Amino acid sequence: MDAKIKPLRTGKLPEARTDFQPAELDPSEFLAAAVQPDQPRPSRAEAEAAVKTLLSYIGENTDREGLLDTPRRVVEAYDELFQGYHQCPAEVLDRTFGETAGYDDFVLVRDISFTSHCEHHVMPFYGKAHIAYTPVERVVGLSKLARLVEIFARRLQTQEHLTAQIAAAIDEVLKPRGVAVMIEAEHTCMSVRGIGKQGASTFTSRYTGMFRDNPAEQARFMSMIRNHR
């Protein structure tokens, strides 16, 4: 049977959109703690029993000495790793300072290390976040930006959602002239399981205000990150 080769399509390629605006996030999604005090939750005993069930599922003997305390340890680790559900991002950014001597350029905090867990496989992804914002009269303590990253990272996440939440929280609470967030991370759900490609990095970014509207400011933000290396 003879093969037929279809001719390449001709005509104009679709023009790139210039009016794109990122989707707005609902403030209730990222400004408050994700778990409310009155929200029904399983007991610690039920959580430990669930861990024991998973250990049995993989074929382990949960009565052997090395695993007797594992359900307790796993639940305690989860309390630490996912404490961001009980913390309020808005409170972290609430205190600002007005003594800036008229400073009107952007503030950049780079190389904020973090570890989070992907919501698809509950496996770690880790890397660095870089955050810039252009304040209006008042600035926030620099450690608060790192704390904000920590709160959102200590929840089940996708990297894209993590990036958007950080930018949206700063934009909503501080009301700056613009926000830029870039995250670079390695995902163990890609490096340890599945395709097993170690060393691959994923980059995501989000811009608001002057960073979104001015490519020169985006370029300056990226240059200040890269020139550090």
Side-chain angles (χ1 to χ4, degrees):
M1 182 176 65
D2 294 333
K4 293 183 178 180
I5 301 176
K6 294 183 178 180
L8 294 175
R9 293 182 180 180
T10 58
K12 290 185 177 180
L13 294 174
E15 294 184 0
R17 290 186 57 184
T18 58
D19 61 342
F20 174 77
Q21 298 289 336
E24 296 295 332
L25 298 182
D26 182 350
S28 65
E29 176 191 350
F30 57 84
L31 288 186
V35 175
Q36 301 303 311
D38 58 348
Q39 181 174 328
R41 299 170 59 202
S43 67
R44 178 173 290 270
E46 290 172 322
E48 291 181 9
V51 175
K52 190 171 182 178
T53 297
L54 288 174
L55 292 172
S56 297
Y57 172 76
I58 65 174
E60 266 290 0
N61 173 15
T62 58
D63 293 324
R64 69 180 179 85
E65 181 181 8
L67 293 179
L68 288 178
D69 284 338
T70 296
R72 174 184 60 79
R73 295 189 188 103
V74 170
V75 172
E76 289 178 352
Y78 267 43
D79 286 341
E80 180 180 352
L81 293 171
F82 300 111
Q83 60 184 279
Y85 282 105
H86 305 278
Q87 298 171 330
C88 179
E91 290 180 0
V92 171
L93 300 173
D94 190 49
R95 186 181 180 188
T96 59
F97 304 91
E99 295 181 354
T100 63
Y103 182 83
D104 61 358
D105 202 354
F106 67 70
V107 178
L108 168 64
V109 181
R110 60 191 174 199
D111 295 331
I112 303 171
S113 61
F114 74 90
T115 298
S116 189
H117 286 74
C118 80
E119 62 184 35
H120 301 137
H121 302 97
V122 196
M123 294 187 69
F125 66 95
Y126 53 89
K128 294 179 179 180
H130 314 282
I131 300 173
Y133 76 101
T134 305
V136 178
E137 297 181 352
R138 302 185 66 83
V139 297
V140 70
L142 300 180
S143 66
K144 304 303 183 183
L145 297 178
R147 185 64 183 146
L148 182 69
V149 172
E150 189 77 355
I151 289 175
F152 285 126
R154 288 183 179 266
R155 302 177 182 184
L156 292 178
Q157 286 284 11
T158 65
Q159 185 174 329
E160 297 86 348
H161 198 205
L162 175 62
T163 308
Q165 284 182 319
I166 293 170
I170 298 171
D171 203 44
E172 183 72 21
V173 178
L174 299 184
K175 307 293 186 185
R177 290 199 293 274
V179 179
V181 177
M182 191 185 82
I183 292 179
E184 49 183 310
E186 181 171 343
H187 294 248
T188 59
C189 59
M190 177 178 171
S191 63
V192 175
R193 61 162 297 281
I195 197 169
K197 296 299 181 184
Q198 297 184 2
S201 296
T202 299
F203 289 77
T204 50
S205 61
R206 184 70 170 242
Y207 302 105
T208 73
M210 59 177 289
F211 288 100
R212 180 191 61 216
D213 301 333
N214 189 344
E217 288 300 287
Q218 292 182 27
R220 195 158 68 97
F221 168 68
M222 293 298 298
S223 176
M224 291 178 71
I225 294 172
R226 291 170 177 160
N227 289 344
H228 176 59
R229 298 171 184 181

